[in-house]
Amino acid sequence: MEIKTQDYQIWYTEETSTITCQGRLRLAGLEEYQPMIQFLDDILNSQPALLILDLAGLDFLNSSGINVFLKFVLKVRQQKTTQLTVLGSSKVPWQGKSLKNFQRLMPELKLEFK
């Protein structure tokens, strides 16, 4: 499973249950994020016991994108069957503050910085 554009790439590696996001995500509004929302929902609907969301390679994410990921974290929390780990980078400024908000929504979420 993969979404690849000139600006960003998102793919899912089933063997490691890892969703990897790289590049710069600055789509205009939730409507443009719909393919990504469906991509994330499809993975979550397969009910993996463990899911790793690797955002360390995501250099930029606008507010709509942050909103998409926050809603995804809420869906994982509501599902109650998937343990979520979020990987970020301490070298990417937006990740330090925003990823901690993910953990506020889902305290059992494991947050790691590379």
Side-chain angles (χ1 to χ4, degrees), residues 28-58:
L30 290 177
E31 191 170 304
E32 288 192 18
Y33 276 99
Q34 192 56 44
M36 192 175 100
I37 293 168
Q38 187 62 51
F39 177 84
L40 295 170
D41 285 349
D42 287 348
I43 294 167
L44 190 58
N45 288 337
S46 70
Q47 299 187 338
L50 171 68
L51 192 55
I52 299 168
L53 180 59
D54 185 352
L55 301 176
L58 195 58

PDB file of all heavy atoms in Angstrom, residues 28-58:
ATOM      1  N   ALA A  28      -4.414  21.209   0.731  1.00  0.00           N
ATOM      2  CA  ALA A  28      -5.379  22.252   1.092  1.00  0.00           C
ATOM      3  C   ALA A  28      -6.675  21.627   1.603  1.00  0.00           C
ATOM      4  O   ALA A  28      -7.536  21.234   0.834  1.00  0.00           O
ATOM      5  CB  ALA A  28      -5.665  23.140  -0.118  1.00  0.00           C
ATOM      6  N   GLY A  29      -6.794  21.490   2.895  1.00  0.00           N
ATOM      7  CA  GLY A  29      -8.046  21.054   3.499  1.00  0.00           C
ATOM      8  C   GLY A  29      -8.232  19.551   3.540  1.00  0.00           C
ATOM      9  O   GLY A  29      -7.508  18.788   2.905  1.00  0.00           O
ATOM     10  N   LEU A  30      -9.236  19.168   4.314  1.00  0.00           N
ATOM     11  CA  LEU A  30      -9.489  17.748   4.536  1.00  0.00           C
ATOM     12  C   LEU A  30      -9.879  17.007   3.258  1.00  0.00           C
ATOM     13  O   LEU A  30      -9.622  15.817   3.128  1.00  0.00           O
ATOM     14  CB  LEU A  30     -10.560  17.567   5.598  1.00  0.00           C
ATOM     15  CG  LEU A  30     -10.139  17.939   7.024  1.00  0.00           C
ATOM     16  CD1 LEU A  30     -11.301  17.783   7.987  1.00  0.00           C
ATOM     17  CD2 LEU A  30      -8.956  17.113   7.479  1.00  0.00           C
ATOM     18  N   GLU A  31     -10.494  17.713   2.314  1.00  0.00           N
ATOM     19  CA  GLU A  31     -10.903  17.056   1.079  1.00  0.00           C
ATOM     20  C   GLU A  31      -9.697  16.499   0.323  1.00  0.00           C
ATOM     21  O   GLU A  31      -9.727  15.387  -0.186  1.00  0.00           O
ATOM     22  CB  GLU A  31     -11.682  18.031   0.202  1.00  0.00           C
ATOM     23  CG  GLU A  31     -12.370  17.350  -0.964  1.00  0.00           C
ATOM     24  CD  GLU A  31     -13.319  18.290  -1.677  1.00  0.00           C
ATOM     25  OE1 GLU A  31     -14.219  18.836  -1.009  1.00  0.00           O
ATOM     26  OE2 GLU A  31     -13.121  18.475  -2.878  1.00  0.00           O
ATOM     27  N   GLU A  32      -8.624  17.269   0.270  1.00  0.00           N
ATOM     28  CA  GLU A  32      -7.423  16.793  -0.423  1.00  0.00           C
ATOM     29  C   GLU A  32      -6.706  15.699   0.368  1.00  0.00           C
ATOM     30  O   GLU A  32      -5.933  14.933  -0.194  1.00  0.00           O
ATOM     31  CB  GLU A  32      -6.466  17.956  -0.713  1.00  0.00           C
ATOM     32  CG  GLU A  32      -6.978  18.870  -1.800  1.00  0.00           C
ATOM     33  CD  GLU A  32      -5.939  19.853  -2.294  1.00  0.00           C
ATOM     34  OE1 GLU A  32      -4.732  19.642  -2.055  1.00  0.00           O
ATOM     35  OE2 GLU A  32      -6.346  20.847  -2.922  1.00  0.00           O
ATOM     36  N   TYR A  33      -6.968  15.641   1.666  1.00  0.00           N
ATOM     37  CA  TYR A  33      -6.365  14.596   2.489  1.00  0.00           C
ATOM     38  C   TYR A  33      -7.169  13.301   2.454  1.00  0.00           C
ATOM     39  O   TYR A  33      -6.772  12.305   3.050  1.00  0.00           O
ATOM     40  CB  TYR A  33      -6.223  15.065   3.947  1.00  0.00           C
ATOM     41  CG  TYR A  33      -4.968  15.866   4.194  1.00  0.00           C
ATOM     42  CD1 TYR A  33      -5.003  17.251   4.218  1.00  0.00           C
ATOM     43  CD2 TYR A  33      -3.745  15.238   4.401  1.00  0.00           C
ATOM     44  CE1 TYR A  33      -3.852  17.998   4.446  1.00  0.00           C
ATOM     45  CE2 TYR A  33      -2.588  15.962   4.627  1.00  0.00           C
ATOM     46  CZ  TYR A  33      -2.650  17.344   4.645  1.00  0.00           C
ATOM     47  OH  TYR A  33      -1.505  18.066   4.861  1.00  0.00           O
ATOM     48  N   GLN A  34      -8.325  13.299   1.790  1.00  0.00           N
ATOM     49  CA  GLN A  34      -9.209  12.139   1.819  1.00  0.00           C
ATOM     50  C   GLN A  34      -8.530  10.831   1.399  1.00  0.00           C
ATOM     51  O   GLN A  34      -8.727   9.805   2.057  1.00  0.00           O
ATOM     52  CB  GLN A  34     -10.460  12.393   0.969  1.00  0.00           C
ATOM     53  CG  GLN A  34     -11.544  11.363   1.180  1.00  0.00           C
ATOM     54  CD  GLN A  34     -11.964  11.240   2.648  1.00  0.00           C
ATOM     55  OE1 GLN A  34     -12.137  12.225   3.342  1.00  0.00           O
ATOM     56  NE2 GLN A  34     -12.103  10.011   3.127  1.00  0.00           N
ATOM     57  N   PRO A  35      -7.705  10.813   0.325  1.00  0.00           N
ATOM     58  CA  PRO A  35      -7.029   9.537  -0.008  1.00  0.00           C
ATOM     59  C   PRO A  35      -6.140   9.036   1.136  1.00  0.00           C
ATOM     60  O   PRO A  35      -6.076   7.828   1.396  1.00  0.00           O
ATOM     61  CB  PRO A  35      -6.192   9.887  -1.244  1.00  0.00           C
ATOM     62  CG  PRO A  35      -6.895  11.055  -1.852  1.00  0.00           C
ATOM     63  CD  PRO A  35      -7.447  11.838  -0.682  1.00  0.00           C
ATOM     64  N   MET A  36      -5.495   9.942   1.827  1.00  0.00           N
ATOM     65  CA  MET A  36      -4.640   9.550   2.949  1.00  0.00           C
ATOM     66  C   MET A  36      -5.492   9.052   4.120  1.00  0.00           C
ATOM     67  O   MET A  36      -5.139   8.073   4.781  1.00  0.00           O
ATOM     68  CB  MET A  36      -3.776  10.733   3.395  1.00  0.00           C
ATOM     69  CG  MET A  36      -2.671  10.332   4.342  1.00  0.00           C
ATOM     70  SD  MET A  36      -1.598  11.703   4.714  1.00  0.00           S
ATOM     71  CE  MET A  36      -2.261  12.169   6.301  1.00  0.00           C
ATOM     72  N   ILE A  37      -6.613   9.709   4.374  1.00  0.00           N
ATOM     73  CA  ILE A  37      -7.520   9.278   5.444  1.00  0.00           C
ATOM     74  C   ILE A  37      -8.009   7.861   5.151  1.00  0.00           C
ATOM     75  O   ILE A  37      -8.007   6.995   6.030  1.00  0.00           O
ATOM     76  CB  ILE A  37      -8.713  10.262   5.577  1.00  0.00           C
ATOM     77  CG1 ILE A  37      -8.217  11.617   6.077  1.00  0.00           C
ATOM     78  CG2 ILE A  37      -9.793   9.682   6.487  1.00  0.00           C
ATOM     79  CD1 ILE A  37      -9.250  12.736   5.977  1.00  0.00           C
ATOM     80  N   GLN A  38      -8.390   7.612   3.903  1.00  0.00           N
ATOM     81  CA  GLN A  38      -8.858   6.273   3.521  1.00  0.00           C
ATOM     82  C   GLN A  38      -7.745   5.247   3.667  1.00  0.00           C
ATOM     83  O   GLN A  38      -7.967   4.122   4.134  1.00  0.00           O
ATOM     84  CB  GLN A  38      -9.384   6.294   2.077  1.00  0.00           C
ATOM     85  CG  GLN A  38     -10.039   4.992   1.661  1.00  0.00           C
ATOM     86  CD  GLN A  38     -11.262   4.665   2.527  1.00  0.00           C
ATOM     87  OE1 GLN A  38     -12.148   5.494   2.696  1.00  0.00           O
ATOM     88  NE2 GLN A  38     -11.290   3.472   3.086  1.00  0.00           N
ATOM     89  N   PHE A  39      -6.540   5.641   3.282  1.00  0.00           N
ATOM     90  CA  PHE A  39      -5.357   4.779   3.415  1.00  0.00           C
ATOM     91  C   PHE A  39      -5.160   4.373   4.878  1.00  0.00           C
ATOM     92  O   PHE A  39      -5.009   3.190   5.194  1.00  0.00           O
ATOM     93  CB  PHE A  39      -4.143   5.550   2.883  1.00  0.00           C
ATOM     94  CG  PHE A  39      -2.828   4.849   2.993  1.00  0.00           C
ATOM     95  CD1 PHE A  39      -2.423   3.940   2.029  1.00  0.00           C
ATOM     96  CD2 PHE A  39      -1.967   5.114   4.047  1.00  0.00           C
ATOM     97  CE1 PHE A  39      -1.195   3.298   2.118  1.00  0.00           C
ATOM     98  CE2 PHE A  39      -0.743   4.491   4.152  1.00  0.00           C
ATOM     99  CZ  PHE A  39      -0.349   3.573   3.185  1.00  0.00           C
ATOM    100  N   LEU A  40      -5.195   5.350   5.780  1.00  0.00           N
ATOM    101  CA  LEU A  40      -5.014   5.077   7.211  1.00  0.00           C
ATOM    102  C   LEU A  40      -6.161   4.239   7.762  1.00  0.00           C
ATOM    103  O   LEU A  40      -5.942   3.309   8.550  1.00  0.00           O
ATOM    104  CB  LEU A  40      -4.890   6.398   7.984  1.00  0.00           C
ATOM    105  CG  LEU A  40      -3.655   7.248   7.672  1.00  0.00           C
ATOM    106  CD1 LEU A  40      -3.778   8.622   8.325  1.00  0.00           C
ATOM    107  CD2 LEU A  40      -2.382   6.555   8.101  1.00  0.00           C
ATOM    108  N   ASP A  41      -7.384   4.547   7.341  1.00  0.00           N
ATOM    109  CA  ASP A  41      -8.550   3.785   7.808  1.00  0.00           C
ATOM    110  C   ASP A  41      -8.475   2.324   7.359  1.00  0.00           C
ATOM    111  O   ASP A  41      -8.818   1.416   8.123  1.00  0.00           O
ATOM    112  CB  ASP A  41      -9.847   4.413   7.307  1.00  0.00           C
ATOM    113  CG  ASP A  41     -10.210   5.689   8.053  1.00  0.00           C
ATOM    114  OD1 ASP A  41      -9.576   5.979   9.093  1.00  0.00           O
ATOM    115  OD2 ASP A  41     -11.118   6.392   7.577  1.00  0.00           O
ATOM    116  N   ASP A  42      -8.040   2.108   6.114  1.00  0.00           N
ATOM    117  CA  ASP A  42      -7.936   0.732   5.605  1.00  0.00           C
ATOM    118  C   ASP A  42      -6.956  -0.082   6.448  1.00  0.00           C
ATOM    119  O   ASP A  42      -7.202  -1.249   6.746  1.00  0.00           O
ATOM    120  CB  ASP A  42      -7.484   0.731   4.139  1.00  0.00           C
ATOM    121  CG  ASP A  42      -8.585   1.204   3.193  1.00  0.00           C
ATOM    122  OD1 ASP A  42      -9.752   1.307   3.622  1.00  0.00           O
ATOM    123  OD2 ASP A  42      -8.255   1.495   2.030  1.00  0.00           O
ATOM    124  N   ILE A  43      -5.849   0.545   6.823  1.00  0.00           N
ATOM    125  CA  ILE A  43      -4.858  -0.155   7.645  1.00  0.00           C
ATOM    126  C   ILE A  43      -5.454  -0.449   9.021  1.00  0.00           C
ATOM    127  O   ILE A  43      -5.350  -1.562   9.532  1.00  0.00           O
ATOM    128  CB  ILE A  43      -3.561   0.675   7.758  1.00  0.00           C
ATOM    129  CG1 ILE A  43      -2.898   0.776   6.388  1.00  0.00           C
ATOM    130  CG2 ILE A  43      -2.616   0.070   8.803  1.00  0.00           C
ATOM    131  CD1 ILE A  43      -1.810   1.809   6.292  1.00  0.00           C
ATOM    132  N   LEU A  44      -6.092   0.534   9.607  1.00  0.00           N
ATOM    133  CA  LEU A  44      -6.661   0.350  10.946  1.00  0.00           C
ATOM    134  C   LEU A  44      -7.782  -0.687  10.937  1.00  0.00           C
ATOM    135  O   LEU A  44      -7.931  -1.459  11.885  1.00  0.00           O
ATOM    136  CB  LEU A  44      -7.166   1.686  11.493  1.00  0.00           C
ATOM    137  CG  LEU A  44      -7.573   1.696  12.952  1.00  0.00           C
ATOM    138  CD1 LEU A  44      -6.406   1.264  13.844  1.00  0.00           C
ATOM    139  CD2 LEU A  44      -8.057   3.078  13.355  1.00  0.00           C
ATOM    140  N   ASN A  45      -8.546  -0.726   9.858  1.00  0.00           N
ATOM    141  CA  ASN A  45      -9.637  -1.703   9.753  1.00  0.00           C
ATOM    142  C   ASN A  45      -9.141  -3.148   9.690  1.00  0.00           C
ATOM    143  O   ASN A  45      -9.898  -4.084   9.959  1.00  0.00           O
ATOM    144  CB  ASN A  45     -10.523  -1.400   8.548  1.00  0.00           C
ATOM    145  CG  ASN A  45     -11.369  -0.168   8.771  1.00  0.00           C
ATOM    146  OD1 ASN A  45     -11.627   0.219   9.910  1.00  0.00           O
ATOM    147  ND2 ASN A  45     -11.775   0.470   7.684  1.00  0.00           N
ATOM    148  N   SER A  46      -7.861  -3.333   9.350  1.00  0.00           N
ATOM    149  CA  SER A  46      -7.298  -4.689   9.362  1.00  0.00           C
ATOM    150  C   SER A  46      -6.946  -5.122  10.785  1.00  0.00           C
ATOM    151  O   SER A  46      -6.510  -6.250  10.990  1.00  0.00           O
ATOM    152  CB  SER A  46      -6.060  -4.768   8.458  1.00  0.00           C
ATOM    153  OG  SER A  46      -4.980  -4.045   9.022  1.00  0.00           O
ATOM    154  N   GLN A  47      -7.139  -4.241  11.749  1.00  0.00           N
ATOM    155  CA  GLN A  47      -6.976  -4.476  13.183  1.00  0.00           C
ATOM    156  C   GLN A  47      -5.627  -5.092  13.556  1.00  0.00           C
ATOM    157  O   GLN A  47      -5.567  -6.153  14.189  1.00  0.00           O
ATOM    158  CB  GLN A  47      -8.118  -5.323  13.716  1.00  0.00           C
ATOM    159  CG  GLN A  47      -9.455  -4.666  13.542  1.00  0.00           C
ATOM    160  CD  GLN A  47     -10.587  -5.407  14.208  1.00  0.00           C
ATOM    161  OE1 GLN A  47     -10.505  -6.594  14.470  1.00  0.00           O
ATOM    162  NE2 GLN A  47     -11.639  -4.682  14.512  1.00  0.00           N
ATOM    163  N   PRO A  48      -4.537  -4.406  13.187  1.00  0.00           N
ATOM    164  CA  PRO A  48      -3.233  -4.921  13.612  1.00  0.00           C
ATOM    165  C   PRO A  48      -3.087  -4.776  15.126  1.00  0.00           C
ATOM    166  O   PRO A  48      -3.588  -3.822  15.719  1.00  0.00           O
ATOM    167  CB  PRO A  48      -2.245  -4.018  12.872  1.00  0.00           C
ATOM    168  CG  PRO A  48      -3.001  -2.739  12.657  1.00  0.00           C
ATOM    169  CD  PRO A  48      -4.439  -3.144  12.473  1.00  0.00           C
ATOM    170  N   ALA A  49      -2.410  -5.730  15.746  1.00  0.00           N
ATOM    171  CA  ALA A  49      -2.191  -5.658  17.195  1.00  0.00           C
ATOM    172  C   ALA A  49      -1.231  -4.529  17.542  1.00  0.00           C
ATOM    173  O   ALA A  49      -1.352  -3.887  18.579  1.00  0.00           O
ATOM    174  CB  ALA A  49      -1.646  -6.984  17.705  1.00  0.00           C
ATOM    175  N   LEU A  50      -0.298  -4.287  16.665  1.00  0.00           N
ATOM    176  CA  LEU A  50       0.708  -3.238  16.849  1.00  0.00           C
ATOM    177  C   LEU A  50       0.776  -2.414  15.575  1.00  0.00           C
ATOM    178  O   LEU A  50       0.714  -2.965  14.467  1.00  0.00           O
ATOM    179  CB  LEU A  50       2.082  -3.870  17.125  1.00  0.00           C
ATOM    180  CG  LEU A  50       3.284  -2.939  17.144  1.00  0.00           C
ATOM    181  CD1 LEU A  50       3.213  -1.999  18.342  1.00  0.00           C
ATOM    182  CD2 LEU A  50       4.581  -3.745  17.195  1.00  0.00           C
ATOM    183  N   LEU A  51       0.897  -1.117  15.722  1.00  0.00           N
ATOM    184  CA  LEU A  51       1.015  -0.240  14.568  1.00  0.00           C
ATOM    185  C   LEU A  51       2.053   0.829  14.883  1.00  0.00           C
ATOM    186  O   LEU A  51       2.015   1.449  15.950  1.00  0.00           O
ATOM    187  CB  LEU A  51      -0.342   0.401  14.262  1.00  0.00           C
ATOM    188  CG  LEU A  51      -0.514   1.125  12.935  1.00  0.00           C
ATOM    189  CD1 LEU A  51      -0.175   0.222  11.752  1.00  0.00           C
ATOM    190  CD2 LEU A  51      -1.943   1.619  12.798  1.00  0.00           C
ATOM    191  N   ILE A  52       2.987   1.008  13.969  1.00  0.00           N
ATOM    192  CA  ILE A  52       4.024   2.035  14.124  1.00  0.00           C
ATOM    193  C   ILE A  52       3.770   3.110  13.074  1.00  0.00           C
ATOM    194  O   ILE A  52       3.670   2.817  11.881  1.00  0.00           O
ATOM    195  CB  ILE A  52       5.428   1.432  13.942  1.00  0.00           C
ATOM    196  CG1 ILE A  52       5.673   0.357  15.004  1.00  0.00           C
ATOM    197  CG2 ILE A  52       6.497   2.523  14.018  1.00  0.00           C
ATOM    198  CD1 ILE A  52       6.905  -0.489  14.746  1.00  0.00           C
ATOM    199  N   LEU A  53       3.667   4.342  13.521  1.00  0.00           N
ATOM    200  CA  LEU A  53       3.485   5.481  12.629  1.00  0.00           C
ATOM    201  C   LEU A  53       4.791   6.261  12.629  1.00  0.00           C
ATOM    202  O   LEU A  53       5.110   6.949  13.592  1.00  0.00           O
ATOM    203  CB  LEU A  53       2.320   6.354  13.119  1.00  0.00           C
ATOM    204  CG  LEU A  53       1.977   7.594  12.300  1.00  0.00           C
ATOM    205  CD1 LEU A  53       1.606   7.216  10.867  1.00  0.00           C
ATOM    206  CD2 LEU A  53       0.831   8.360  12.966  1.00  0.00           C
ATOM    207  N   ASP A  54       5.556   6.099  11.566  1.00  0.00           N
ATOM    208  CA  ASP A  54       6.881   6.712  11.473  1.00  0.00           C
ATOM    209  C   ASP A  54       6.777   8.028  10.709  1.00  0.00           C
ATOM    210  O   ASP A  54       6.645   8.045   9.484  1.00  0.00           O
ATOM    211  CB  ASP A  54       7.843   5.748  10.774  1.00  0.00           C
ATOM    212  CG  ASP A  54       9.267   6.261  10.747  1.00  0.00           C
ATOM    213  OD1 ASP A  54       9.502   7.429  11.135  1.00  0.00           O
ATOM    214  OD2 ASP A  54      10.150   5.498  10.328  1.00  0.00           O
ATOM    215  N   LEU A  55       6.840   9.127  11.455  1.00  0.00           N
ATOM    216  CA  LEU A  55       6.741  10.464  10.859  1.00  0.00           C
ATOM    217  C   LEU A  55       8.094  11.171  10.830  1.00  0.00           C
ATOM    218  O   LEU A  55       8.168  12.348  10.478  1.00  0.00           O
ATOM    219  CB  LEU A  55       5.739  11.310  11.655  1.00  0.00           C
ATOM    220  CG  LEU A  55       4.313  10.752  11.746  1.00  0.00           C
ATOM    221  CD1 LEU A  55       3.453  11.637  12.637  1.00  0.00           C
ATOM    222  CD2 LEU A  55       3.687  10.623  10.365  1.00  0.00           C
ATOM    223  N   ALA A  56       9.147  10.481  11.208  1.00  0.00           N
ATOM    224  CA  ALA A  56      10.470  11.114  11.334  1.00  0.00           C
ATOM    225  C   ALA A  56      10.938  11.761  10.036  1.00  0.00           C
ATOM    226  O   ALA A  56      11.641  12.770  10.061  1.00  0.00           O
ATOM    227  CB  ALA A  56      11.487  10.096  11.821  1.00  0.00           C
ATOM    228  N   GLY A  57      10.541  11.223   8.907  1.00  0.00           N
ATOM    229  CA  GLY A  57      10.965  11.775   7.625  1.00  0.00           C
ATOM    230  C   GLY A  57      10.000  12.793   7.050  1.00  0.00           C
ATOM    231  O   GLY A  57      10.146  13.214   5.898  1.00  0.00           O
ATOM    232  N   LEU A  58       9.017  13.183   7.831  1.00  0.00           N
ATOM    233  CA  LEU A  58       8.034  14.164   7.362  1.00  0.00           C
ATOM    234  C   LEU A  58       8.496  15.555   7.784  1.00  0.00           C
ATOM    235  O   LEU A  58       8.337  15.965   8.932  1.00  0.00           O
ATOM    236  CB  LEU A  58       6.654  13.833   7.945  1.00  0.00           C
ATOM    237  CG  LEU A  58       5.454  14.514   7.309  1.00  0.00           C
ATOM    238  CD1 LEU A  58       5.357  14.217   5.812  1.00  0.00           C
ATOM    239  CD2 LEU A  58       4.179  14.077   8.001  1.00  0.00           C
TER     240      LEU A  58
END
